[in-house]
Amino acid sequence: MLIFESIKEWISFRKSIDHTKYIGFVPTMGCLHEGHASLIRKSVAENDFTVLSIFLNQTQFPDQSDFENYPITTDEDLEIAKKEKVDAVILPTTSEMYLDDYHYKVTEDNLSMLREGSHRLGHFTGVLTVVMKLLNIVKAQNAYFGEKDYQQYELVKGMKEAFFIDTEIVPCPTERDENGIALSSRNRRLTKEQMNVVKNFPLLLSSKHLSPNEITEKLKALGFKVNYIEDTNNRRYGSVQIGDINLIDNFNLS
């Protein structure tokens, strides 16, 4: 497994890859779990060469404390990448990723204003900007995104189409634990007591017999702060907070 700590070194190496080979790309912020591993396995199965990026992107964190509390597990991440047969890992620095000091940004003025965008102002501008950079750096035929962050997936797919980016954006099903909780790097920060409460979140959110208002009231009664529960285009989205930890999830209602 090759490890590149310099974007310039990766770009130089990228030119040496046979142009007939298919490259799969899995962008992450680290703290890898089974959800990430499932994306990697799909990429390995569908491509000749798989690239993983690990970059904790500060620009997508409107709340600085959320950024500072994000778990960093680089050594463990590299072991997982090696086990899952990743061919190359890119570990860019913030200074190299943002040579422009974040003066140039990718913005979207419709979908990005809703749900997560309305509660985390500037979040999706940071996401789209860094994903645009990474897609341009890796130049993969396929890039893999988990459906847990479905709004993010839709925005990245829309950006790809709007800017004629020559990378297919591949959605991958949400991975869940034995209690139905969507796997997330933030789950590491939950206590056992909080995990016992959090399992009610996907259970209620996925109930087709309850309205968003009914789900909201039940979640509040359990001690959650509810950011939103919303049905849109036959999909239900939810965002809650327990303690200082934000969790999101979504379900297809069909």
Side-chain angles (χ1 to χ4, degrees):
M1 186 176 73
L2 302 172
I3 298 176
F4 296 88
E5 297 183 3
S6 162
I7 293 173
K8 289 183 179 180
E9 289 179 4
W10 158 256
I11 290 175
S12 177
F13 174 79
R14 174 67 180 82
K15 295 174 183 177
S16 71
I17 299 176
D18 189 329
H19 71 278
T20 65
K21 291 186 179 296
Y22 267 67
I23 296 178
F25 175 43
V26 180
T28 80
M29 292 202 298
C31 193
L32 302 187
H33 49 67
E34 177 58 26
H36 296 109
S38 70
L39 304 184
I40 295 170
R41 287 194 289 270
K42 187 170 177 61
S43 176
V44 170
E46 296 179 351
N47 300 277
D48 302 302
F49 193 96
T50 290
V51 180
L52 175 79
S53 68
I54 299 174
F55 178 67
L56 185 53
N57 181 42
Q58 187 172 3
T59 67
Q60 68 189 68
F61 288 86
D63 183 349
Q64 184 65 23
S65 65
D66 194 19
F67 168 73
E68 292 172 351
N69 289 327
Y70 195 92
I72 297 174
T73 58
T74 306
D75 290 341
E76 294 176 32
D77 295 344
L78 292 176
E79 286 301 315
I80 292 171
K82 188 174 182 179
K83 177 184 175 183
E84 298 297 344
K85 301 180 181 178
V86 167
D87 295 289
V89 179
I90 304 174
L91 301 166
T93 63
T94 297
S95 59
E96 191 175 17
M97 184 66 78
Y98 288 104
L99 292 171
D100 63 325
D101 291 325
Y102 196 44
H103 290 298
Y104 289 88
K105 305 172 185 178
V106 179
T107 61
E108 193 274 350
D109 63 4
N110 184 20
L111 178 57
S112 67
M113 302 291 107
L114 307 175
R115 297 186 289 278
E116 281 301 287
S118 67
H119 288 272
R120 302 174 67 192
L121 297 179
H123 167 66
F124 284 123
T125 294
V127 169
L128 293 176
T129 301
V130 78
V131 171
M132 171 76 88
K133 289 172 181 279
L134 289 167
L135 292 178
N136 285 334
I137 289 165
V138 178
K139 298 187 185 303
Q141 282 84 358
N142 299 301
Y144 297 82
F145 289 80
E147 290 186 343
K148 179 182 76 71
D149 302 289
Y150 200 84
Q151 186 177 3
Q152 172 181 281
Y153 156 70
E154 288 189 307
L155 283 163
V156 170
K157 186 173 183 291
M159 179 180 72
K160 167 256 189 326
E161 294 168 351
F163 290 100
F164 306 99
I165 298 172
D166 196 20
T167 299
E168 188 68 25
I169 306 303
V170 183
C172 302
T174 302
E175 293 288 327
R176 300 180 180 278
D177 68 12
E178 65 275 10
N179 292 312
I181 301 171
L183 298 185
S184 169
S185 300
R186 287 184 171 84
N187 292 359
R188 284 195 179 210
R189 297 176 54 208
L190 295 169
T191 65
K192 288 183 179 180
E193 292 76 13
Q194 287 174 325
M195 285 291 282
N196 196 45
V197 176
V198 167
K199 66 184 181 183
N200 292 284
F201 177 38
L203 184 66
L204 289 168
L205 192 68
S206 62
S207 175
K208 298 178 182 179
H209 305 295
L210 296 174
S211 70
N213 285 340
E214 290 172 322
I215 294 170
T216 297
E217 292 308 311
K218 288 181 179 294
L219 288 170
K220 286 182 177 178
L222 289 167
F224 290 98
K225 175 186 175 184
V226 179
N227 296 321
Y228 59 82
I229 305 293
E230 180 180 320
D231 292 354
T232 303
N233 297 327
N234 211 35
R235 186 172 292 271
R236 176 171 289 158
Y237 299 84
S239 170
V240 297
Q241 184 174 327
I242 184 166
D244 63 346
I245 303 167
N246 282 292
L247 300 170
I248 64 172
D249 204 345
N250 69 88
F251 289 91
N252 192 319
L253 295 176
S254 59

